[in-house]
Amino acid sequence: MAAGRARRLLGSLWIALLLGQPDPAGAAARSGSQSLLTGSLVRTFTPFYFLVEPMDILSVRGASVIMNCSAYCETSPKIEWKKDGTFLNLVSDDRRQLLPDGSLLINSVVHSKHNKPDEGYYQCVATVESLGTIVSRTAKLTVAGLPRFTSQPESSSVYKGNSAILNCEVNVDLAPFVRWEQDRQPLFLDDRVFKLPSGALIISNATDTDGGLYRCIIESGGTPKYSDEAELKILPDPEVPQNLMFVRQPSSLTKVTGQSAVFPCVAVGFPTPYIRWTRNEEELITEGYERFLLLAGGSLEISDVMEEDVGTYTCIADNGNETIEAQAELTVQVPPEFLKRPANIYAHESMDIVFECEVTGKPTPTVKWVKNGDMVIPSDYFKIVKEHNLQVLGLVKSDEGFYQCIAENDVGNAQAGAQLIILDLDVAIPTLPPTSLTSATNDHLAPATTGPLPSAPRDVVATLVSTRFIRLTWRTPVSDPQGDNLTYSIFYTKEGINRERVENTSRPGETQVTIQNLMPETVYVFRVVAQNKHGPGESSVPLKVATQPEVQLPGPAPNIRAYASSPTSVSVTWETPLSGNGEIQNYKLYYMEKGQDTEQDVDVGGLSYTINGLKKYTEYSFRVVAYNKHGPGVSTQDVVVRTLSDVPSAPPQNLTLEVRNSKSIMLHWQPPPPGTHSGQITGYKIRYRKVSRKSDVTESIGGTQLFQLIEGLERGTEYSFRVAALTVNGTGPATDWVSAETFESDLDETRVPEVPSSLHVRPLVTSIVVSWTPPENQNIVVRGYAIGYGIGSPHAQTIKVDYKQRYYTIENLDPSSHYVITLKAFNNVGEGIPLYESAVTRPHSDTSEVDLFVINAPYTPVPDPSPMMPPVGVQASILSHDTIRITWADNSLPKNQKITDARYYTVRWKTNIPANTKYKTANATTLSYLVTGLKPNTLYEFSVMVTKGRRSSTWSMTAHGTTFELVPTSPPKDVTVVSKEGKPRTIIVNWQPPSEANGKITGYIIYYSTDVNAEIHDWVIEPVVGNRLTHQIQELTLDTPYYFKIQARNSKGMGPMSEAVQFRTPKAESSDKMPNDQASGSAGRGSRPVDVGPDYKPPLGGSNSPHGSPTSPLDSNMLLVIIVSVGVITIVIVVIVAVFCTRRTTSHQKKKRAACKSVNGSHKYKGNSKDVKPPDLWIHHERLELKPIDKSPDPNPIMTDTPIPRNSQDITPVDNSMDSNIHQRRNSYRGHESEDSMSTLAGRRGMRPKMMMPFDSQPPQQSVRNTPSTDTMPASSSQTCADHQDPESTTGSYLANAQEEDSAQNLPTAHVRPSHPLKSFAVPAVPPAGSTYDPALPSTPLLTQQASNHPVHSVKTASIGTLGRTRPPMPVVVPSAPDVQETTRMLEDSESNYEPDELTKEMAHLEGLMKDLNAITTA
């Protein structure tokens, strides 16, 4: 490679000397200029740019100001100045003058209320005659106004140790000129006493010396202006705590990047408060952070503001007794910055070009273009494309000059320019067509040679004329009737316009072209010019063609308006479209509910329409399309309107009552069902009455909370309640009446209830009926009873029932089992003393109903349960990921299912995951209940029971429902990254599923980057399909810190990312990457070609010199000699290898001894076998077979290309594959290329596709078994050897002991087969292995690795070209020698196969061949 570059450089020097040009190195060093040797000299780009541009300045009256400006060009430029877009006449100006370097000096700035001649926007203009003009950025000169106070300091007092603030608010322009005095003496500012940017003074930790008279002064030139004096008194510490309050709160700020921001925050109180800050509700650490500084008193200063500082800042004052907060927003603006600057362009006349310009900023900048100092006005030939780029169509000579892209937003502006040079037609464009040339004109002329030129093409006609395109055809010129080698250029322009555009035919011999992007109903003039290898010929006779008029469809209807006329109707109005050459026939009004995807339409004859039957208080979008005789026109923009609100259409849900005491009852309910609110719920109306006096109804209106405590009730009285929802329109329907009775007396709830007075159990086969009586002390509140039961222990299950209940049936028990039962009364304080009983359930065969009485228990008769019928038809309707509606029917109710008594229903539910989950219960007074707060994607079982007075039913049949899935709400857990043993460039990522998967995990995405602060879209991503919890990533850069994040996905989407996990790859390469790898030439380390970057494109026409000159004949001859020499040497090497093959020993006994020696010695290398390296020039040919690169499998369809390569080896990925039973998953985001596409890519990048040739990096280590088998067996320290086993008959009986260790690696392209006759230079002959490959982990190779579970443990790849194709020679990697001890050990192992003299002779011969090859390639 180095030799090739040297030859090209010498060739370029030789040509340059012939033409009297400077040396290429010097030419290359000149920025922006290039010389091309294409028949005549090419004009070079002239460096012309600003060294210094003016900046924004704040000045005061009477001061002198300098606006800096300096421009560079080889010819000294002329500098002029513009103010507010108008050139300044500096010749007759006595106050403003131009300095020698181009800067503008303004003496004694003038500024008054009505005369501000100096304030404004200034711009520097630099001009070089016959070259062009450039303009600088605009700079604003601001003059501070007259001194004026908007607020002045006021007398105040402050407790010692607290903070005080003295206001002195002035204009923002004058704030820098404010200073303070204490007792008429200048005040020294420090960390404790400081001035805010607004001019106000803050004194923190006040002391007695801070007392005195204060005033502020504005010194902006001229006479200082003094404020009123204010006295500050320092008070001693108060003896009693003082309320905490802010005397100055932070206010929201807008800053430009690089500026400083100060959030004042001053609080007073006793004890003295402590100030801390949060940003976006996260604690802000100011200690040890350079940019965030906590000023004395608690104010926060942010220096060098950055875009990521945006957020809500909260000042929190705390003095131990109370805490107060104040918030402010920080908004950051960014001046325009160029992401892509315009580039210089060479072009020919009639070409189309594009100057590219990409900018960023906040607010988003606007872009305008300037040519030679004048604004570019968009027209048919100057167009702004892709928002910021300038396209110039049909170039003419006058378009030459300097073009500048000027970006501007509210906080700044910037400019960047480029030069356009238009070459003569006989001068070729210097380099490959740059990206700024459009596809229609990227063909350029080759150097003209002498010879006959073609005559004019004949019979140019327009065969197809449309509104916006024309197809032209013609016949070949008379001078060349065949015309196979002719290309054609079609020049066209609007009639009366002298700016021609050109379109070239796509291939030689083509005699037709389609000209597109024309204007309708416009006359164009076309002419055709033929071109052969000598240059362009005569032009055809101009042809005038008029495009057809375009059918005009109606434009969008203007002024479309929509307004809600009622809760269910919207009126839409619009006006007649302004465009269209046909009468409007009708309109179509489209409307759609917001959030839906189904659009409805209605035909309208007029200019308004009212749509009825809409949903209440719902957003709809509307648009209108006008129709004429040609069809539908352009749609209007969508207008969105919400229908009016109305009273709710359904009552609240699940109203329940809880008696608190003798005078109050707590109500709980849930809102009306979604879709029935008909507006914003503003509150709830509660109506209640005594059951005995139904006419006396009391109303209470509450807020939007879902509970209300009704107080002031009478003792021992039954009340009925109902609740209705309110909107601004009124009251909706109310719930049914629900009743509850207050207590007879105010009971005590300061202690737990006493023990129940009795407990009785009645066992059945699978249930036990439990009955009890309340505690004897009736003066303590009992809110319910807790029943515990279990086999041998009462703590296995617990059920809570209402305080009114006196019996309960425990269901689903095991027959013939001994249960212990406990009963406790409870209230809001806690649970009381338990009462214990035990019972044995009946056996299956026992159907008797004999009561079981417990000895020593007072006898309590069991009340006849006469249980109510349980609810039937229980159904679970899944509404969302956390909500299920339970409905049921009650057969004990009338047919209309109307509840008229005081019964209530208890709904219970649970999930079986985890297994010991307890039931949750809720009471309802209607035949449905909305269960909320459930877990996503979880199966729940529900059952219902009814209670009326002291009677209850058993639980109903269960209903089941599984909540909908939700995106994972927690990231994958326990993310770990480990290096793969022996493969430092390969890592294995392991993790655990997220705690809250909320559904079936369908895959994961691994993000990794070397920059933890990079935008997430800049991280490399690796998809993992399915629910696997491990993944392998290959070919990472050594000794580099990587950061990894993982997110899980299910059918609903992606979950949150895990925290970044850092992992640094090891420093040392593994044993299969030789540390001393060297390639001949200059390819660098390994056999990888020189990395010229992904954007490199080879010069057109083969191998060009650095300056674009064609390859010299000398280079071609030299290349031919090298190719022939390499071919001859290759043949000689093959002959020598064949000689080796014929001299290979046929003694099986020798092979057996060699194999045994290798096997028995393998345990010696077990600990460090990966460090063994072969000696120089030892190439292991044992069982070697070359095989063309297989087509890679189709990439996973969910993967996309990742534009970030992991390292420099990512340029040419090589895919390897072996037998069809080996399945390898390639999860790389880089798509895999086939052999053909890869060779095309390689040609485009100056690289070649690779074949992989394995070179041994360590001797094989094998375990040998006497019986043929393909089962894997780990190598052990005690190994046996088959002494009399024929190697050809034992295929499959030998196993690689490292098979499991590296089984996930990809297989080499060069396969090892048991039938190859070549000998091994490196190790003794070993019987072939029949082991199978089973990749343990999926891998993502960027450059495919080799499988080490092959008997050849590690292979080294070398590029030797693709078989069957003519390729120039590539450098071959020669492995380096191992350490002396290991080399000696390997030589000892190989004694049994070769004699020393024989080996020495062959090695010497091979070294001689290599020296000859090196001599030829370096010549």
Side-chain angles (χ1 to χ4, degrees):
M1 294 288 240
R5 261 191 313 206
R7 287 195 296 274
R8 286 197 296 272
L9 188 60
L10 287 172
S12 300
L13 283 169
W14 175 69
I15 296 173
L17 290 172
L18 286 178
L19 296 171
Q21 294 291 323
D23 66 281
R30 291 198 305 271
S31 62
S33 63
Q34 287 195 1
S35 296
L36 264 292
L37 312 170
T38 53
S40 63
L41 296 181
V42 175
R43 287 182 294 139
T44 59
F45 293 114
T46 304
F48 186 19
Y49 52 88
F50 285 102
L51 295 171
V52 179
E53 296 186 75
M55 305 299 292
D56 295 345
I57 296 178
L58 171 63
S59 180
V60 296
R61 282 188 310 164
S64 295
V65 172
I66 294 181
M67 308 290 286
N68 292 315
C69 179
S70 177
Y72 170 79
C73 188
E74 295 172 355
T75 303
S76 180
K78 173 187 175 184
I79 302 294
E80 297 175 285
W81 282 88
K82 282 183 177 181
K83 178 182 179 292
D84 299 330
T86 304
F87 280 102
L88 292 174
N89 183 7
L90 301 178
V91 177
S92 59
D93 198 324
D94 56 346
R95 283 194 312 108
R96 293 181 283 207
Q97 65 184 78
L98 190 67
L99 299 181
D101 66 344
S103 299
L104 176 66
L105 171 64
I106 304 176
N107 289 305
S108 185
V109 170
V110 176
H111 190 81
S112 64
K113 183 175 181 180
H114 302 290
N115 183 27
K116 303 175 181 178
D118 294 333
E119 195 171 57
Y121 292 89
Y122 289 81
Q123 190 174 39
C124 178
V125 182
T127 304
V128 174
E129 289 297 329
S130 74
L131 185 61
T133 300
I134 57 175
V135 297
S136 73
R137 69 180 299 276
T138 56
K140 183 180 181 181
L141 172 60
T142 304
V143 182
L146 297 176
R148 190 174 291 109
F149 295 102
T150 56
S151 71
Q152 300 195 40
E154 297 178 356
S155 297
S156 60
S157 59
V158 62
Y159 290 110
K160 185 182 296 185
N162 267 328
S163 298
I165 184 164
L166 296 168
N167 289 323
C168 181
E169 304 293 339
V170 298
N171 192 325
V172 176
D173 298 337
L174 293 169
F177 306 105
V178 172
R179 68 176 181 85
W180 283 84
E181 288 184 352
Q182 179 186 9
D183 297 328
R184 303 287 177 103
Q185 297 298 318
L187 181 64
F188 176 72
L189 302 180
D190 55 18
D191 291 341
R192 191 179 65 85
V193 181
F194 61 93
K195 186 185 72 171
L196 293 176
S198 63
L201 183 71
I202 293 180
I203 302 174
S204 62
N205 192 19
T207 63
D208 291 334
T209 59
D210 293 325
L213 296 175
Y214 288 82
R215 67 177 180 178
C216 63
I217 305 102
I218 303 177
E219 294 180 328
S220 59
T223 305
K225 187 174 181 66
Y226 295 89
S227 72
D228 297 338
E229 282 190 325
E231 183 180 6
L232 178 65
K233 295 181 179 179
I234 308 299
L235 305 178
D237 289 342
E239 296 181 358
V240 295
Q242 300 292 319
N243 288 338
L244 192 59
M245 60 179 290
F246 285 115
V247 295
R248 173 60 69 93
Q249 297 187 24
S251 55
S252 295
L253 298 175
T254 298
K255 292 293 181 180
V256 180
T257 51
Q259 293 181 345
S260 293
V262 175
F263 285 113
C265 184
V266 181
V268 295
F270 185 78
T272 303
Y274 165 74
I275 303 290
R276 58 188 176 90
W277 287 83
T278 65
R279 180 178 67 186
N280 298 331
E281 299 183 358
E282 293 182 1
E283 197 73 25
L284 192 63
I285 306 299
T286 56
E287 295 182 4
Y289 204 92
E290 296 180 357
R291 293 196 307 110
F292 291 90
L293 178 64
L294 191 63
L295 304 175
S299 298
L300 178 67
E301 181 179 16
I302 307 172
S303 59
D304 190 19
V305 168
M306 303 171 67
E307 200 168 357
E308 55 263 30
D309 295 333
V310 169
T312 301
Y313 289 78
T314 304
C315 172
I316 303 173
D318 185 357
N319 67 352
N321 295 333
E322 57 180 321
T323 301
I324 56 176
E325 297 182 358
Q327 290 185 340
E329 297 284 339
L330 175 61
T331 304
V332 178
Q333 296 181 323
V334 183
E337 295 180 4
F338 286 98
L339 300 178
K340 191 171 190 179
R341 295 172 175 267
N344 296 333
I345 296 178
Y346 283 114
H348 288 141
E349 284 191 83
S350 302
M351 275 188 174
D352 302 341
I353 62 165
V354 173
F355 281 109
E356 295 182 343
C357 179
E358 190 174 344
V359 295
T360 184
K362 190 176 182 181
T364 302
T366 58
V367 169
K368 60 184 179 181
W369 284 85
V370 170
K371 178 203 168 190
N372 289 333
D374 296 326
M375 185 79 69
V376 173
I377 300 174
S379 64
D380 290 344
Y381 296 95
F382 288 85
K383 297 183 178 181
I384 304 298
V385 296
K386 294 184 179 178
E387 296 184 3
H388 298 153
N389 299 341
L390 175 65
Q391 184 182 41
V392 185
L393 305 177
L395 289 175
V396 295
K397 194 68 176 176
S398 61
D399 291 334
E400 272 194 344
F402 286 88
Y403 290 78
Q404 288 176 278
C405 173
I406 299 179
E408 184 175 11
N409 65 8
D410 294 343
V411 293
N413 63 90
Q415 61 84 23
Q419 185 180 4
L420 170 64
I421 294 181
I422 297 181
L423 303 173
D424 296 334
L425 289 178
D426 61 345
V427 178
I429 292 177
T431 60
L432 278 175
T435 56
S436 55
L437 292 180
T438 63
S439 59
T441 60
N442 60 6
D443 296 325
H444 54 274
L445 302 176
T449 57
T450 57
L453 299 174
S455 57
R458 298 172 290 171
D459 302 337
V460 179
V461 294
T463 57
L464 182 60
V465 179
S466 182
T467 56
R468 294 185 179 271
F469 70 88
I470 292 176
R471 178 178 295 172
L472 298 177
T473 60
W474 58 88
R475 292 171 57 204
T476 55
V478 175
S479 61
D480 195 346
Q482 297 298 323
D484 294 339
N485 297 320
L486 296 181
T487 58
Y488 298 90
S489 296
I490 297 84
F491 297 87
Y492 64 98
T493 182
K494 289 183 183 179
E495 188 177 29
I497 303 295
N498 61 354
R499 183 185 288 271
E500 275 190 325
R501 298 182 62 189
V502 64
E503 186 82 24
N504 299 320
T505 54
S506 57
R507 58 182 180 273
E510 188 175 20
T511 58
Q512 70 172 15
V513 73
T514 300
I515 308 296
Q516 299 184 357
N517 300 320
L518 304 179
M519 298 298 295
E521 207 168 359
T522 306
V523 177
Y524 287 88
V525 180
F526 298 89
R527 61 187 183 90
V528 183
V529 175
Q531 178 180 319
N532 60 15
K533 62 182 180 179
H534 304 300
E538 299 179 17
S539 172
S540 66
V541 176
L543 171 70
K544 291 185 179 182
V545 182
T547 53
Q548 294 182 354
E550 191 169 50
V551 173
Q552 293 186 2
L553 296 170
N559 298 329
I560 178 173
R561 293 185 178 89
Y563 60 92
S565 51
S566 78
T568 59
S569 62
V570 171
S571 297
V572 186
T573 63
W574 58 91
E575 297 176 6
T576 305
L578 302 178
S579 60
N581 64 348
E583 181 182 353
I584 301 296
Q585 295 178 342
N586 70 309
Y587 299 90
K588 195 177 284 288
L589 173 61
Y590 295 87
Y591 64 97
M592 180 173 61
E593 182 182 342
K594 203 68 179 293
Q596 303 295 320
D597 54 4
T598 304
E599 196 172 39
Q600 297 174 279
D601 62 82
V602 60
D603 290 326
V604 183
L607 297 177
S608 64
Y609 190 79
T610 299
I611 300 175
N612 297 304
L614 304 178
K615 295 181 181 179
K616 298 177 182 179
Y617 199 66
T618 303
E619 278 192 340
Y620 288 86
S621 62
F622 300 87
R623 63 186 182 92
V624 174
V625 175
Y627 281 71
N628 65 8
K629 61 183 179 181
H630 301 295
V634 181
S635 171
T636 62
Q637 295 291 325
D638 287 359
V639 292
V640 179
V641 67
R642 185 189 292 272
T643 53
L644 297 179
S645 62
D646 198 1
V647 297
S649 58
Q653 305 178 91
N654 299 335
L655 173 62
T656 58
L657 308 179
E658 179 188 344
V659 180
R660 285 294 177 93
N661 51 45
S662 63
K663 293 185 178 181
S664 63
I665 295 178
M666 175 66 79
L667 284 70
H668 290 272
W669 63 89
Q670 290 180 321
T676 64
H677 294 192
S678 304
Q680 194 75 30
I681 299 293
T682 59
Y684 292 91
K685 179 184 290 185
I686 301 169
R687 304 178 70 194
Y688 61 95
R689 68 190 183 193
K690 295 179 183 178
V691 173
S692 59
R693 299 178 61 182
K694 296 187 176 180
S695 59
D696 188 9
V697 176
T698 305
E699 286 190 357
S700 173
I701 297 178
T704 57
Q705 73 273 9
L706 301 177
F707 59 89
Q708 182 72 35
L709 180 65
I710 304 297
E711 298 181 296
L713 305 179
E714 295 182 7
R715 301 171 184 267
T717 306
E718 187 175 6
Y719 286 87
S720 295
F721 298 84
R722 67 193 308 179
V723 180
L726 299 174
T727 64
V728 293
N729 303 86
T731 307
T735 63
D736 293 332
W737 290 100
V738 180
S739 300
E741 184 178 347
T742 56
F743 296 142
E744 285 289 346
S745 59
D746 285 330
L747 305 181
D748 179 16
E749 201 173 5
T750 61
R751 52 199 175 113
V752 298
E754 295 184 358
V755 62
S757 56
S758 70
L759 171 63
H760 186 79
V761 293
R762 180 187 180 194
L764 302 176
V765 178
T766 60
S767 62
I768 296 177
V769 179
V770 182
S771 61
W772 62 91
T773 54
E776 293 181 358
N777 186 354
Q778 299 288 321
N779 295 322
I780 303 176
V781 174
V782 176
R783 300 227 172 253
Y785 295 91
I787 304 170
Y789 64 94
I791 298 177
S793 169
H795 306 299
Q797 297 285 340
T798 301
I799 295 172
K800 291 188 176 183
V801 298
D802 189 75
Y803 73 96
K804 294 181 179 180
Q805 245 176 287
R806 295 293 181 267
Y807 73 94
Y808 183 80
T809 303
I810 304 174
E811 304 280 1
N812 302 321
L813 303 181
D814 296 332
S816 303
S817 299
H818 184 273
Y819 283 88
V820 180
I821 300 166
T822 181
L823 176 72
K824 292 178 285 187
F826 67 86
N827 57 21
N828 290 335
V829 178
E831 295 180 340
I833 301 171
L835 188 61
Y836 291 90
E837 290 292 0
S838 62
V840 178
T841 51
R842 305 289 189 189
H844 270 299
S845 58
D846 188 356
T847 58
S848 65
E849 295 291 331
V850 179
D851 289 349
L852 176 65
F853 295 97
V854 181
I855 300 175
N856 297 328
Y859 172 74
T860 302
V862 179
D864 182 14
S866 61
M868 300 182 67
M869 296 176 60
V872 296
V874 181
Q875 292 185 349
S877 303
I878 294 88
L879 301 182
S880 69
H881 65 275
D882 65 348
T883 305
I884 294 180
R885 181 188 297 280
I886 307 302
T887 58
W888 60 88
D890 191 344
N891 285 345
S892 63
L893 291 176
K895 289 186 178 180
N896 61 4
Q897 294 288 289
K898 184 73 171 177
I899 302 174
T900 57
D901 49 22
R903 72 180 65 201
Y904 65 91
Y905 300 90
T906 304
V907 182
R908 72 174 183 180
W909 64 93
K910 66 171 288 188
T911 177
N912 291 326
I913 301 174
N916 59 351
T917 305
K918 297 182 180 179
Y919 278 103
K920 292 185 178 180
T921 60
N923 292 338
T925 55
T926 60
L927 297 178
S928 68
Y929 185 76
L930 201 67
V931 182
T932 59
L934 304 179
K935 296 179 181 178
N937 193 46
T938 304
L939 174 65
Y940 286 86
E941 65 177 46
F942 303 84
S943 54
V944 185
M945 67 179 290
V946 59
T947 301
K948 180 180 178 184
R950 299 179 182 274
R951 300 169 58 218
S952 296
S953 72
T954 58
W955 290 106
S956 67
M957 300 289 287
T958 58
H960 295 83
T962 302
T963 50
F964 294 149
E965 289 191 359
L966 182 69
V967 295
T969 51
S970 67
K973 303 182 300 184
D974 303 332
V975 181
T976 59
V977 184
V978 296
S979 178
K980 185 167 182 181
E981 185 181 355
K983 300 291 178 182
R985 298 166 68 91
T986 300
I987 60 97
I988 298 173
V989 185
N990 302 299
W991 63 92
Q992 292 298 315
S995 303
E996 299 169 1
N998 298 339
K1000 180 182 178 182
I1001 296 298
T1002 59
Y1004 296 85
I1005 290 185
I1006 301 175
Y1007 297 75
Y1008 66 95
S1009 171
T1010 56
D1011 181 10
V1012 72
N1013 296 318
E1015 293 291 335
I1016 196 61
H1017 56 73
D1018 291 332
W1019 290 48
V1020 183
I1021 55 180
E1022 292 283 347
V1024 179
V1025 180
N1027 56 0
R1028 291 190 292 101
L1029 301 177
T1030 184
H1031 188 70
Q1032 190 177 132
I1033 301 176
Q1034 296 185 357
E1035 287 302 307
L1036 300 180
T1037 306
L1038 293 177
D1039 194 22
T1040 302
Y1042 283 85
Y1043 299 88
F1044 298 81
K1045 296 182 180 180
I1046 304 181
Q1047 67 180 155
R1049 69 166 179 264
N1050 59 19
S1051 62
K1052 291 296 182 181
M1054 308 299 302
M1057 290 188 190
S1058 65
E1059 292 293 327
V1061 174
Q1062 182 183 6
F1063 179 81
R1064 177 178 286 274
T1065 49
K1067 293 184 179 180
E1069 278 278 359
S1070 61
S1071 60
D1072 64 334
K1073 300 287 184 183
M1074 308 242 175
N1076 298 325
D1077 288 352
Q1078 294 179 353
S1080 61
S1082 62
R1085 299 187 69 83
S1087 60
R1088 190 170 64 252
V1090 175
D1091 184 3
V1092 294
D1095 296 326
Y1096 172 77
K1097 295 184 179 180
L1100 199 67
S1103 175
N1104 286 2
S1105 70
H1107 291 272
S1109 59
T1111 305
S1112 66
L1114 182 60
D1115 288 344
S1116 302
N1117 294 338
M1118 182 66 72
L1119 185 61
L1120 184 61
V1121 169
I1122 291 174
I1123 293 173
V1124 172
S1125 303
V1126 171
V1128 171
I1129 292 169
T1130 303
I1131 295 172
V1132 172
I1133 292 174
V1134 170
V1135 171
I1136 293 172
V1137 172
V1139 172
F1140 278 130
C1141 295
T1142 58
R1143 298 178 61 179
R1144 180 177 182 180
T1145 177
T1146 58
S1147 171
H1148 293 302
Q1149 192 60 31
K1150 268 189 173 185
K1151 292 181 180 181
K1152 291 298 167 286
R1153 280 203 307 274
C1156 289
K1157 201 169 202 177
S1158 174
V1159 170
N1160 294 334
S1162 63
H1163 68 279
K1164 296 186 291 185
Y1165 299 98
K1166 190 171 184 180
N1168 59 354
S1169 62
K1170 292 184 179 298
D1171 299 328
V1172 177
K1173 301 178 179 63
D1176 271 344
L1177 297 175
W1178 285 25
I1179 304 174
H1180 184 57
H1181 295 282
E1182 193 68 38
R1183 301 173 300 282
L1184 180 72
E1185 174 183 283
L1186 292 179
K1187 191 174 181 183
I1189 297 174
D1190 294 338
K1191 300 279 185 177
S1192 65
D1194 290 335
N1196 192 311
I1198 69 167
M1199 303 170 195
T1200 57
D1201 284 353
T1202 301
I1204 306 173
R1206 297 193 186 106
N1207 53 34
S1208 59
Q1209 294 185 357
D1210 292 355
I1211 302 302
T1212 46
V1214 180
D1215 293 338
N1216 304 323
S1217 59
M1218 271 195 68
D1219 300 329
S1220 61
N1221 64 335
I1222 302 167
H1223 302 290
Q1224 295 178 341
R1225 299 195 67 161
R1226 303 179 184 274
N1227 291 334
S1228 171
Y1229 261 52
R1230 298 178 59 84
H1232 303 292
E1233 299 167 306
S1234 66
E1235 180 180 341
D1236 294 335
S1237 64
M1238 182 165 53
S1239 63
T1240 303
L1241 178 63
R1244 194 162 61 246
R1245 297 181 178 177
M1247 292 181 280
R1248 299 176 178 84
K1250 296 181 178 181
M1251 286 289 294
M1252 314 308 269
M1253 176 183 289
F1255 294 77
D1256 274 354
S1257 62
Q1258 65 182 35
Q1261 302 174 19
Q1262 298 180 347
S1263 60
V1264 182
R1265 296 176 61 178
N1266 288 325
T1267 57
S1269 173
T1270 58
D1271 296 332
T1272 57
M1273 182 180 73
S1276 61
S1277 59
S1278 60
Q1279 310 250 341
T1280 61
C1281 181
D1283 292 331
H1284 305 289
Q1285 201 169 13
D1286 183 72
E1288 299 298 323
S1289 64
T1290 59
T1291 302
S1293 63
Y1294 300 95
L1295 304 169
N1297 67 348
Q1299 180 171 347
E1300 289 186 4
E1301 178 182 336
D1302 290 327
S1303 61
Q1305 289 184 305
N1306 293 337
L1307 305 175
T1309 305
H1311 299 274
V1312 177
R1313 302 290 187 187
S1315 58
H1316 206 286
L1318 297 182
K1319 288 183 180 180
S1320 168
F1321 291 136
V1323 295
V1326 181
S1331 59
T1332 60
Y1333 297 85
D1334 183 18
L1337 294 174
S1339 61
T1340 309
L1342 290 185
L1343 186 64
T1344 306
Q1345 299 295 299
Q1346 292 75 33
S1348 62
N1349 52 5
H1350 201 280
V1352 179
H1353 280 212
S1354 180
V1355 296
K1356 191 70 181 179
T1357 62
S1359 299
I1360 61 172
T1362 306
L1363 296 181
R1365 299 186 183 182
T1366 303
R1367 299 285 188 191
M1370 290 291 288
V1372 178
V1373 175
V1374 181
S1376 61
D1379 297 333
V1380 176
Q1381 285 183 340
E1382 294 167 349
T1383 307
T1384 306
R1385 206 174 286 166
M1386 294 164 66
L1387 286 171
E1388 290 172 359
D1389 286 347
S1390 62
E1391 286 176 356
S1392 59
N1393 252 10
Y1394 298 97
E1395 296 298 325
D1397 293 341
E1398 176 186 353
L1399 183 61
T1400 303
K1401 184 188 300 182
E1402 299 300 338
M1403 290 297 298
H1405 187 55
L1406 185 57
E1407 286 179 356
L1409 290 174
M1410 293 303 296
K1411 288 180 181 178
D1412 293 341
L1413 179 60
N1414 288 334
I1416 292 173
T1417 56
T1418 56

